[in-house]
Amino acid sequence: MNRLQVAVIDYGMGNLRSVANALKAVAPDLHIEITSDAQQIAAAERVVFPGQGAMPDCIRELDTRGLRQAVIDATRDKPFLGICIGLQMLFEHSEEGDVPGLAIYPGEVKRFPAEKMLDAHGGKLKVPHMGWSQVQQSGAHALWQDIPDLARFYYVHSYYVAPTDSALTAATTAYPFDYTCAIAQDNVFAVQFHPEKSAESGLQLLRNFVNWKP
């Protein structure tokens, strides 16, 4: 069998098939698989770490399947894309369930504070943040190629990452305050939004990922 070129990590959480299908749409010639096999993940050329759900459940399921080390190793040595909770799990601690994350990067995962969730007219904003929001890029990056600044991406989340190191931030979005919605360091790029649900801008980001040579 041809070498696995993109592994989509399956730890029992989230709609993985929509991510895999979007990847196959932008890269039909690549060998892309959803997998919960740590050896397959280790052998893959690129790794996508998606997910939906609560942080405590995601961490537990990751450990139950013996995939914690596979994820950590993948962040060290190959192009790695985290999506939604696949971004949040990279940090030290989450307020959701008061649980530790994988601690690859210093920082907290915080709940949107109720007292700040007001629009410009004083009206209450809903949590979770659900729908389309603009993404303000923090600087040039290969994964932003051919994506205009302030393009809209699709979100569904009640928590956001607050990195200790501001240099990690690759983009911000406002709801209603600015928060980090994408991080980048070396071979790792991770986003709070769902590129697989974000129309052409999302597909372009995935296209950029499968061609990325960090």
Side-chain angles (χ1 to χ4, degrees):
M1 181 179 291
N2 293 336
R3 181 178 180 185
L4 181 57
Q5 290 167 299
V6 184
V8 179
I9 299 178
D10 177 8
Y11 56 101
M13 306 296 293
N15 183 6
L16 307 180
R17 195 151 301 283
S18 63
V19 176
N21 287 343
L23 286 163
K24 290 174 182 176
V26 300
D29 296 330
L30 294 188
H31 179 195
I32 299 164
E33 280 192 26
I34 299 169
T35 179
S36 57
D37 185 318
Q39 290 185 327
Q40 269 199 320
I41 294 164
E45 295 176 6
R46 300 169 188 273
V47 168
V48 179
F49 185 40
Q52 292 172 309
M55 178 75 94
D57 297 336
C58 291
I59 290 290
R60 184 188 65 246
E61 292 302 316
L62 193 72
D63 286 337
T64 296
R65 288 164 169 76
L67 295 176
R68 176 185 288 258
Q69 194 60 48
V71 172
I72 292 171
D73 290 345
T75 65
R76 293 173 176 159
D77 64 6
K78 62 188 70 185
F80 180 101
L81 176 64
I83 298 173
C84 193
I85 206 144
L87 160 67
Q88 296 180 7
M89 290 170 72
L90 302 181
F91 286 84
E92 293 173 305
H93 179 266
S94 177
E95 291 182 353
E96 186 175 22
D98 187 25
V99 294
L102 299 178
I104 292 163
Y105 302 112
E108 289 277 321
V109 180
K110 297 179 175 289
R111 183 171 175 83
F112 284 114
E115 68 276 9
K116 291 186 178 180
M117 304 312 293
L118 301 172
D119 64 22
H121 306 289
K124 287 187 176 180
L125 293 171
K126 293 181 179 180
V127 176
H129 171 206
M130 183 181 298
W132 296 81
S133 289
Q134 289 181 313
V135 169
Q136 183 163 17
Q137 299 168 18
S138 299
H141 191 281
L143 267 69
W144 294 136
Q145 184 177 338
D146 297 326
I147 299 173
D149 195 19
L150 302 180
R152 292 183 177 272
F153 289 82
Y154 187 79
Y155 292 81
V156 184
H157 65 119
S158 301
Y159 294 79
Y160 64 96
V161 298
T164 301
D165 180 3
S166 61
L168 274 175
T169 298
T172 59
T173 198
Y175 191 75
F177 54 89
D178 289 344
Y179 67 87
T180 296
C181 66
I183 66 162
Q185 187 176 81
D186 300 328
N187 58 298
V188 174
F189 197 91
V191 298
Q192 182 61 63
F193 52 80
H194 288 270
E196 76 279 9
K197 298 178 181 178
S198 295
E200 182 51 40
S201 290
L203 292 177
Q204 183 61 45
L205 189 144
L206 295 176
R207 191 177 292 116
N208 291 341
F209 172 70
V210 297
N211 291 302
W212 185 27
K213 295 179 174 62

